[in-house]
Amino acid sequence: SLADFAKLVERFDAREVSFVSVTQAFNTSSSMGRLTLNVLLSFAQFEREVTAERIKDKIAASRRKGIWTGGKPPLGYDNVDKKLVVVEQEAAIVRRIYELYLETGNVRAITTTGKEQGWTTKLRANGKGGKPLSRGPIYHILANPIYAGLIRQGNDLHPGEQQAIIDLDVWNRVQEKRKANAQWSGQIRTTTSLLTGKLFANGERLIPSHTSKQGKKYRYYVSHANAEPGKGNRLTLKATDLEQAVATAFDCWVSKAKSAALDLVNPDTSPAVIERIQECLTRQVTDTSDTTLSGIHRWTTLIRRVDITDDAIAIAVEPKKLVQMPKLQKYLQTDYAIMARTSMHHCGQERRFLLGDVEQQRTPDPAITGLLARAHIWRNAWFENPDAKLSTIVEATDTDRSTVSKTIRLAFLAPDIIEAFLNGSAPAEINAETLKRLSQVPASWTEQRQLLGFEKIH
């Protein structure tokens, strides 16, 4: 291609080397020689591309005629003189797979039967294959039109020359059943764990998990090896905290475009190039801030890996994805890690993950805000009727007396404490269960702040 030849000539010129043809009258040492060579190369590239297009057209025409155009024959067939010939022993397995799918509609059940019967993938001449049929190969068998005597060309199916293993009616019924089973009738998931597969804690992979309480879903990232509850020191991190920490650290780093550009470039890069990379990073921030994406959604495609410890976070990014200008990419490092200090606070069975270097946006805990709302509602109901007893609220709310008593106490917390809970700036180690377990709430606001760790916010 012209592009490859141009690069080759550039390397030759850098070493004062010329390309000279002894059978044709041109060389790269003169401008006329380079022009002649470029013209000839243009025609050569054009001829090669035309040949490739002709081959593709011929293959497509052959497929439309039902001719098998080569490749690895699927299970149930062998390649004999460039034609597909049925192998009856393998074909029996294929027929049974189709029968089981029409009966159960469950690929997992077919996989279990296959293990019991010893079904394997097709054994190739080079020794590859012959492995137990897993879900992937079974899905491929169920979707392959070759078994119905058809050949696929693009999105169209044409009658093939090969003998069918499956009746066309059976194959169509299986496709309809596959389509019906693939339809999702539930609610569309609006929240996903975007750091799945990229998150590691002390070298151990973290996987997404969630719990549901009163119709609300709470997402977490948990240690992979000890993912089952009750096993070892299971690390559980609140997903919203962790994703917000990563997004905030990324935002803080990329917003300082000049220092970020210096972080990404190789040593001895010229100031002019650094300035252009800085402009690219500034444009990256502007472009993402104008979209509807927020938080971790803005940067997830640029993040390769996130490693966290008890006191630090490292976000591995690929500079070439950040600076999408081919002419500048040769000046970039192959990898870079954004570093930030962090802290973890125990909060019940989970640990809250907070950034130490930058101001992290916090969101209020819905469990705490709901608890405080109940506390004020019950307190107001009690105060509206001075003659009423606490038992009246207990009966009206169908709640035990102890819960009502402990909850109403929270309505007497200091205004700045309540405000901190409502705007999400309260200490991370305080959660709804912590407030419920308080044996008493001091009347003094100063003592309340000391008890709950609010000295810093007052």
Side-chain angles (χ1 to χ4, degrees):
S1 72
L2 274 175
D4 288 340
F5 180 73
K7 292 177 183 177
L8 192 61
V9 170
E10 184 179 350
R11 293 179 64 184
F12 285 165
D13 290 343
R15 290 164 177 79
E16 298 182 354
V17 172
S18 298
F19 176 78
V20 181
S21 172
V22 295
T23 59
Q24 293 169 293
F26 59 79
N27 62 71
T28 61
S29 62
S30 65
S31 58
M32 183 58 70
R34 284 194 291 270
L35 174 62
T36 305
L37 194 53
N38 282 333
V39 171
L40 291 175
L41 281 171
S42 296
F43 279 102
Q45 180 174 331
F46 169 73
E47 179 60 28
R48 191 180 69 222
E49 291 173 354
V50 169
T51 301
E53 290 172 1
R54 288 172 181 166
I55 293 173
K56 289 180 181 178
D57 291 341
K58 185 174 180 179
I59 291 174
S62 298
R63 285 179 171 270
R64 283 192 288 268
K65 293 178 182 179
I67 300 173
W68 183 61
T69 54
K72 296 179 180 178
L75 184 71
Y77 290 97
D78 266 345
N79 180 4
V80 179
D81 295 330
K82 298 182 180 181
K83 293 183 182 294
L84 291 177
V85 177
V86 175
V87 180
E88 193 54 43
Q89 185 178 358
E90 295 177 359
I93 296 174
V94 174
R95 293 189 190 101
R96 185 56 182 155
I97 288 173
Y98 273 76
E99 290 172 3
L100 287 173
Y101 190 77
L102 287 177
E103 291 172 8
T104 65
N106 191 329
V107 172
R108 187 172 297 171
I110 300 174
T111 306
T112 303
T113 303
K115 288 181 180 178
E116 296 172 354
Q117 299 293 327
W119 296 345
T120 63
T121 58
K122 189 172 185 66
L123 183 62
R124 307 292 175 183
N126 59 6
K128 293 184 178 180
K131 297 181 179 179
L133 276 176
S134 58
R135 296 179 65 187
I138 290 175
Y139 274 116
H140 181 72
I141 289 172
L142 292 171
N144 196 340
I146 283 180
Y147 295 116
L150 303 173
I151 293 291
R152 189 188 300 278
Q153 169 54 35
N155 295 324
D156 300 324
L157 297 176
H158 303 277
E161 293 181 339
Q162 78 278 11
Q163 179 185 345
I165 293 177
I166 304 297
D167 290 339
L168 183 59
D169 179 61
V170 172
W171 190 81
N172 287 330
R173 284 161 55 199
V174 166
Q175 306 317 305
E176 291 174 2
K177 198 173 189 71
R178 286 179 57 244
K179 186 177 180 181
N181 289 345
Q183 290 177 350
W184 172 249
S185 57
Q187 294 181 347
I188 297 175
R189 294 177 61 183
T190 55
T191 56
T192 55
S193 299
L194 297 174
L195 293 178
T196 300
K198 301 180 179 181
L199 189 59
F200 297 82
N202 298 315
E204 181 182 358
R205 185 185 296 276
L206 300 185
I207 61 175
S209 180
H210 73 274
T211 59
S212 298
K213 188 175 182 180
Q214 296 179 351
K216 293 183 179 181
K217 182 178 177 180
Y218 299 89
R219 296 187 302 114
Y220 300 92
Y221 289 101
V222 300
S223 53
H224 181 66
N226 300 315
E228 296 182 23
K231 279 194 174 185
N233 297 321
R234 183 190 186 197
L235 178 63
T236 303
L237 297 175
K238 196 171 182 180
T240 51
D241 281 351
L242 184 52
E243 290 167 356
Q244 183 61 48
V246 172
T248 305
F250 207 124
D251 284 335
C252 183
W253 174 80
V254 80
S255 64
K256 301 173 183 176
K258 186 173 183 178
S259 61
L262 291 171
D263 291 336
L264 297 180
V265 298
N266 294 316
D268 303 325
T269 302
S270 68
V273 172
I274 295 174
E275 186 175 349
R276 292 185 64 189
I277 293 175
Q278 178 182 341
E279 292 172 359
C280 289
L281 294 176
T282 303
R283 190 162 53 250
Q284 179 83 279
V285 175
T286 305
D287 292 344
T288 48
S289 64
D290 289 341
T291 68
T292 57
L293 299 178
S294 61
I296 192 63
H297 293 78
R298 288 177 293 172
W299 307 119
T300 183
T301 57
L302 303 176
I303 295 173
R304 184 179 61 80
R305 176 182 171 123
V306 177
D307 285 275
I308 63 174
T309 63
D310 288 344
D311 57 2
I313 183 172
I315 306 167
V317 297
E318 296 180 41
K320 290 184 179 180
K321 288 186 177 181
L322 268 170
V323 183
Q324 296 183 355
M325 290 189 67
K327 293 182 179 179
L328 297 178
Q329 291 186 349
K330 63 182 179 181
Y331 301 102
L332 299 173
Q333 300 183 43
T334 56
D335 207 353
Y336 180 74
I338 302 169
M339 303 295 297
R341 289 190 302 106
T342 60
S343 61
M344 291 191 189
H345 299 273
H346 286 275
C347 190
Q349 292 184 346
E350 67 185 53
R351 277 191 269 183
R352 301 294 296 275
F353 188 84
L354 303 175
L355 280 182
D357 286 298
V358 296
E359 181 87 16
Q360 181 180 351
Q361 182 181 354
R362 296 286 307 280
T363 56
D365 186 335
I368 293 180
T369 55
L371 185 63
L372 293 176
R374 286 195 299 276
H376 282 80
I377 291 172
W378 291 351
R379 187 199 68 168
N380 294 340
W382 195 15
F383 282 9
E384 286 175 1
N385 186 0
D387 297 328
K389 296 182 179 180
L390 196 62
S391 57
T392 305
I393 299 177
V394 173
E395 295 173 0
T397 59
D398 193 23
T399 310
D400 63 273
R401 185 181 182 87
S402 175
T403 300
V404 172
S405 177
K406 290 181 179 180
T407 303
I408 286 181
R409 295 174 188 171
L410 301 178
F412 298 93
L413 290 173
D416 57 329
I417 294 178
I418 293 177
E419 183 181 356
F421 281 128
L422 295 180
N423 63 28
S425 61
E429 59 270 18
I430 301 295
N431 60 12
E433 293 301 321
T434 305
L435 296 177
K436 290 178 183 178
R437 288 196 298 266
L438 290 177
S439 58
Q440 61 177 357
V441 176
S444 167
W445 288 352
T446 301
E447 293 179 8
Q448 290 177 9
R449 298 184 189 104
Q450 293 174 350
L451 175 66
L452 298 174
F454 277 79
E455 299 94 334
K456 294 183 180 180
I457 68 170
H458 181 61

